[in-house]
Amino acid sequence: MINLDIQGFQELQDELMKELNALKSDKVVTIGIHEEAGNFESGDITMAGLGATHEFGADIKHPGGTSYGYASKAAADRDEVRFLKGGAGYMVLGVTQPHDINIPARPWLEPGVESATPEVLATIQDGMDEGKTMDQILEAVGVVAEGAVKVYMTELKTPPNAASTIRKKGSSNPLIDKGAMRQSVTHKVSGEKVTEGLE
């Protein structure tokens, strides 16, 4: 019987590696948005790139050229200015100049996996007690950690979206719009060397 008391993500990784080494396996389980997820719907960025942008934050140099103004007469009466898609609207007031956009970091992967620590360790322990193969244990760990990350993403509240973003997507959850990024989070058991992302 193994009794483990782990505090934090790095300690979890170290303990998992110790268990894997003890069982003489060259395989690992990775959690996150894998290359196979492809591009985000706009096609301008991969799903993995989108995930990294949210995990670490980003500064984007916007070229400008976006029209803004009143979408309708009622909006004009309320003095409610918005960006106008394709310049269409009741009244265009102007066009944005080149500017910087700061996307704040909203870590979801590392803390999401860390939130699964107790259940992951119990899964390893149970798998070893039941005589499961390393592939079976890693698969079970992947399922647990993937689920925990998705729950963490769903429940994340800070830093909040800007009011304009909330109006546009109709939700205050900073990581969830249509759910495409969350759905792209998967786990993979592989013998391949991890070359990118959080190991």
Side-chain angles (χ1 to χ4, degrees):
M1 189 76 168
I2 300 172
N3 293 310
L4 301 173
D5 181 16
I6 300 299
Q7 301 292 324
F9 184 72
Q10 187 59 51
E11 290 83 354
L12 169 61
Q13 288 182 314
D14 293 344
E15 204 57 50
L16 286 177
M17 289 309 298
K18 189 188 300 180
E19 293 295 336
L20 294 177
N21 290 335
L23 292 173
K24 308 292 186 198
S25 174
D26 293 329
K27 293 190 176 180
V28 295
V29 60
T30 55
I31 314 298
I33 302 175
H34 295 90
E35 184 179 2
E36 297 82 11
N39 287 0
F40 184 57
E41 57 191 28
S42 66
D44 297 333
I45 187 172
T46 65
M47 290 303 299
L50 178 63
T53 297
H54 284 295
E55 180 79 11
F56 304 110
D59 290 312
I60 299 171
K61 293 196 176 299
H62 194 286
T66 304
S67 300
Y68 61 89
Y70 302 120
S72 65
K73 183 176 185 318
D77 292 341
R78 294 190 302 269
D79 196 27
E80 185 179 273
V81 177
R82 293 192 178 185
F83 291 120
L84 302 174
K85 199 169 191 179
Y90 173 72
M91 183 187 298
V92 175
L93 298 177
V95 177
T96 61
Q97 297 300 309
H99 58 283
D100 293 336
I101 299 174
N102 173 260
I103 299 175
R106 295 183 175 98
W108 55 273
L109 180 56
E110 186 169 341
V113 171
E114 186 175 341
S115 71
T117 298
E119 192 175 355
V120 164
L121 294 173
T123 299
I124 294 171
Q125 179 67 67
D126 291 345
M128 293 177 71
D129 290 347
E130 294 166 12
K132 290 185 176 178
T133 66
M134 179 48 52
D135 282 2
Q136 291 172 323
I137 293 173
L138 288 175
E139 179 64 28
V141 165
V143 169
V144 167
E146 176 187 328
V149 168
K150 289 179 175 178
V151 168
Y152 189 90
M153 292 173 76
T154 303
E155 296 177 349
L156 187 88
K157 302 295 182 210
T158 57
N161 282 133
S164 59
T165 302
I166 294 172
R167 279 197 307 271
K168 180 180 177 184
K169 73 179 192 178
S171 166
S172 60
N173 186 304
L175 287 182
I176 309 296
D177 184 0
K178 297 175 183 174
M181 190 175 95
R182 178 179 54 192
Q183 290 169 5
S184 295
V185 174
T186 57
H187 69 277
K188 182 164 60 172
V189 176
S190 172
E192 298 175 9
K193 181 177 175 57
V194 176
T195 58
E196 294 183 12
L198 297 173
E199 296 184 10

